[in-house]
Amino acid sequence: MPYWLADLLWVVVKGVALAFALLTTFAYMTLVERRLLARMQIRHGPNRVGPLGLLQPAADAIKSIFKEDFRVTAADKVVYTLAPIVAIACALTAFGAIPAGPANSFFGLNPWVYDLDIGLLAVLALTSMGVYGIFLGGWASGSKYPLLGGLRSSAQMISYELGMGLSVLGLLMLVGSTRLRDIVDWQGANGWLILFQLTGFALFIISSFAEVNRTPFDLPEAEQELVAGYLTEFNAIKWALFQMAEYVNMITASAIMSTLFFGGWRGPQFLDAIIPGISAWPFVWLILKIAAFLFLFIWVRATLPRLRYDQLMRFGWKLLLPAALLNTVVTAGYVAYAREGLRWPLFVIGALGLAALVVGSDRIRVLVNSPRTTGVTELAPPPSGRPLGGD
Amino acid sequence: MSAFFFVVLAVLIITGALVTVIASNAVHAALGLVATLVALAMTYVTLDAHFLGAVQVIVYAGAIMVLFLFVIMLLDATRPVTAHNPVGFVNELAALGGAALAGALGLIALGWRDPRPLAEGAAALRNGTPGAVGETLLTRFVLPFEAVSVLLLVAVVGSIVLVKRPVSQPSAVPEAQPIESGERAGA
């Protein structure tokens, strides 16, 4: 067998294994989410199928696959079928770039599917293609609510993509590479990047929530306003594919945040004194970090209410984007003029920036959200003279 | 191998372009253009221009085409146009323009010379990493680069001016009454 063919074969095998792992994670993520949400809301959640409800995902999967897959008459046939496939394909492909361990650590294989110079950019490109799934799904349904959901999602994702890209620029300038492995290695040598990019991380995590359409940014499927948004006319396996895409995107976003800001696959190095080499174990640390972020996604869903659409847009364009720009400029200035290797002032700057955003949030919210600046007139005066929520 | 990929990608690009021109449904036409752009990005990747490929997908396929589709859906422009064409000679003009463009492309393809030997150019590109591309862009081509950014700024300002509704002047505010800043007057 020629060398490149064996190489290709192994990449395909790894890709299929990764897809399988991601989809299993998705299935159990739905169960974990429902159980956790139930716990946070003081109820039981699904606990009937199997012990502790552990077979619930299997039951859901069987139901989705064997349910009748009917099609809306007004739907655009090709695009209606294509949309969920695009969504899940982009979601699954993006994860392949994440390195899960040092080279040759996975039974002599590299624990990643592809490794590019432009690693982070490739992930951003693939996730930006993911918007087509939602967008086209909404349009192809040939119905009003899905169309509105699709339009909302495209506007939202385009807007927050900019903030997302800008908020990691400072980090990329510090590291000097877009290759995800280089970013992990840099953190192994110099410490986690969240220390030096605190504001950047805050902006990035907010944009990530918006990019994967999770609460408080789940406007594309706001059930009180749009039935189920772009999902309304989809059923059976196509609906399940969209759900898969959303959860896989969530897992990818968690992996990206762990890799960029929390040391990636590297564990804490002080543990090496107890068990030598434990900090370089593949998979273990990355999976732990991903799990922590997934818990955060669920926790936020149980905690925060949804934003109104105009608030979402103003927040993205008038606060997130300028703050990300400012973070980029400050980091660029620091990298250009500060002494090589002197990094603790970046932590102070980041902490001050974050504190300014949190402390000033009431003032800032009024600036971008008050009726005077937005031109949104109130319908009726508040009955008790109390200010309305959100403004 | 690379010849095989090139043929596949070229077929994809041409099919997408044909769909863009022929499809009567505007959304299908836009999707054909997306296919062309993505296949073009893959061609860049096969030529070791990874950064260019990623930027092509992020900017054109991921952002600009989404906005195209956004407008098409928002204005419900998916139905084929059946109204009378007010400009009778537009087909002839388009044919002339297309012929001129094809001629120019042919001239470029036949008369093109390497600005420098291929091996040297490939070494300078260093696998098309962002560093090498950025360095070239911000040193040798800094003037065109900044000119393009000014052009974009002009476009942004122009679009804001176009969509901005005229603001009614608050003439009713008496001079003596102080205007609170920021917070709305609460209870």
Side-chain angles (χ1 to χ4, degrees):
Chain A
M1 197 153 49
Y3 179 70
W4 63 265
L5 191 63
D7 232 23
L8 188 71
L9 207 66
W10 277 119
V11 169
V12 170
V13 168
K14 278 193 289 188
V16 171
L18 177 71
F20 189 74
L22 282 175
L23 295 185
T24 315
T25 316
F26 148 71
Y28 275 90
M29 181 70 189
T30 56
L31 177 68
V32 169
E33 174 162 30
R34 288 166 72 185
R35 289 300 296 254
L36 270 176
L37 278 179
R39 190 170 170 78
M40 289 172 190
Q41 295 163 353
I42 323 178
R43 51 192 178 84
H44 286 298
N47 59 359
R48 295 287 136 169
V49 191
L52 296 170
L54 276 176
L55 292 179
Q56 182 70 41
D60 287 344
I62 292 168
K63 189 193 101 176
S64 298
I65 292 168
F66 289 106
K67 207 172 169 181
E68 185 193 355
D69 180 21
F70 61 82
R71 182 176 282 156
V72 190
T73 325
D76 185 299
K77 286 184 184 54
V78 183
V79 183
Y80 184 77
T81 317
L82 200 65
I85 298 175
V86 169
I88 187 69
C90 293
L92 286 176
T93 319
F95 197 94
I98 309 287
N104 303 322
S105 64
F106 178 47
F107 303 117
L109 294 171
N110 294 327
W112 55 79
V113 180
Y114 56 88
D115 173 38
L116 297 172
D117 291 332
I118 50 156
L120 183 62
L121 286 173
V123 175
L124 286 182
L126 283 167
T127 48
S128 80
M129 290 303 286
V131 65
Y132 277 108
I134 294 176
F135 192 32
L136 293 174
W139 172 76
S141 301
S143 160
K144 288 192 188 71
Y145 289 123
L147 183 62
L148 284 174
L151 289 176
R152 275 184 176 187
S153 76
S154 64
Q156 171 183 332
M157 288 169 90
I158 290 277
S159 307
Y160 279 80
E161 218 171 75
L162 288 173
M164 194 169 181
L166 273 177
S167 59
V168 290
L169 268 187
L171 179 153
L172 294 181
M173 274 186 278
L174 276 178
V175 178
S177 172
T178 48
R179 183 191 283 254
L180 292 170
R181 281 170 63 204
D182 290 350
I183 295 174
V184 175
D185 289 342
W186 192 93
Q187 294 179 89
N190 300 303
W192 287 3
L193 269 161
I194 185 171
L195 296 176
F196 313 118
Q197 283 292 308
L198 210 52
T199 319
F201 172 69
L203 298 171
F204 189 81
I205 195 171
I206 295 172
S207 329
S208 297
F209 272 80
E211 277 292 296
V212 299
N213 296 323
R214 287 289 295 190
T215 334
F217 302 108
D218 59 342
L219 286 131
E221 43 192 305
E223 66 270 18
Q224 293 90 345
E225 307 157 29
L226 296 178
V227 190
Y230 66 97
L231 284 170
T232 308
E233 306 290 355
F234 284 91
N235 68 331
I237 192 67
K238 293 202 187 90
W239 178 86
L241 283 176
F242 270 123
Q243 290 292 320
M244 271 181 215
E246 183 178 329
Y247 279 89
V248 172
N249 277 331
M250 233 160 85
I251 300 168
T252 310
S254 308
I256 289 283
M257 283 188 279
S258 324
T259 304
L260 293 184
F261 294 97
F262 288 88
W265 50 261
R266 264 176 216 283
Q269 279 161 3
F270 61 84
L271 285 182
D272 282 344
I274 306 165
I275 307 172
I278 191 174
S279 73
W281 282 3
F283 299 105
V284 179
W285 300 109
L286 187 69
I287 289 172
L288 277 179
K289 288 168 189 174
I290 290 176
F293 274 109
L294 288 179
F295 176 74
L296 186 72
F297 272 105
I298 297 170
W299 192 9
V300 168
R301 179 173 173 187
T303 310
L304 291 180
R306 181 182 305 132
L307 267 76
R308 215 169 55 211
Y309 187 68
D310 55 325
Q311 293 171 335
L312 168 95
M313 279 294 142
R314 277 200 299 278
F315 180 77
W317 285 105
K318 293 188 174 173
L319 184 61
L320 201 74
L321 191 68
L325 262 178
L326 196 65
N327 180 50
T328 308
V329 171
V330 169
T331 314
Y334 189 86
V335 170
Y337 293 112
R339 196 153 46 83
E340 189 78 20
L342 180 75
R343 291 203 191 80
W344 64 264
L346 269 177
F347 175 72
V348 177
I349 294 172
L352 285 179
L354 191 60
L357 277 180
V358 172
V359 171
S361 64
D362 275 346
R363 300 249 160 233
I364 297 167
R365 194 158 60 225
V366 170
L367 281 184
V368 296
N369 257 0
S370 79
R372 195 174 296 161
T373 47
T374 57
V376 178
T377 47
E378 284 169 48
L379 294 175
S384 61
R386 197 164 45 84
L388 290 171
D391 285 345
Chain B
M1 274 314 273
S2 63
F4 170 74
F5 280 127
F6 176 75
V7 169
V8 171
L9 289 172
V11 168
L12 265 177
I13 291 175
I14 293 171
T15 317
L18 283 178
V19 168
T20 311
V21 181
I22 294 171
S24 57
N25 186 324
V27 172
H28 291 172
L31 286 182
L33 194 50
V34 173
T36 302
L37 294 172
V38 172
L40 195 59
M42 289 180 191
T43 317
Y44 292 153
V45 172
T46 59
L47 297 172
D48 270 349
H50 296 161
F51 179 69
L52 195 59
V55 169
Q56 167 93 1
V57 172
I58 293 175
V59 174
Y60 285 101
I64 292 183
M65 285 317 294
V66 172
L67 290 182
F68 266 47
L69 280 167
F70 192 80
V71 171
I72 291 172
M73 291 179 192
L74 208 61
L75 301 182
D76 197 18
T78 49
R79 277 163 296 172
V81 180
T82 49
H84 175 67
N85 185 1
V87 191
F89 48 86
V90 71
N91 285 349
E92 286 79 357
L93 271 185
L96 270 180
L101 185 64
L105 286 178
L107 275 181
I108 292 170
L110 293 177
W112 183 75
R113 294 273 175 283
D114 285 335
R116 53 172 127 172
L118 192 61
E120 196 184 306
L125 260 177
R126 299 200 296 272
N127 271 344
T129 47
V133 175
E135 218 172 287
T136 320
L137 209 59
L138 290 177
T139 50
R140 194 169 162 200
F141 297 103
V142 70
L143 194 65
F145 181 75
E146 292 299 333
V148 167
S149 68
V150 170
L151 187 71
L152 286 176
L153 186 68
V154 170
V156 169
V157 172
S159 60
I160 290 175
V161 169
L162 278 178
V163 299
K164 197 164 172 60
R165 275 169 295 185
V167 183
S168 58
Q169 295 298 322
S171 54
V173 179
E175 292 288 318
Q177 185 183 332
I179 300 169
E180 292 130 320
S181 63
E183 306 268 2
R184 206 146 30 90

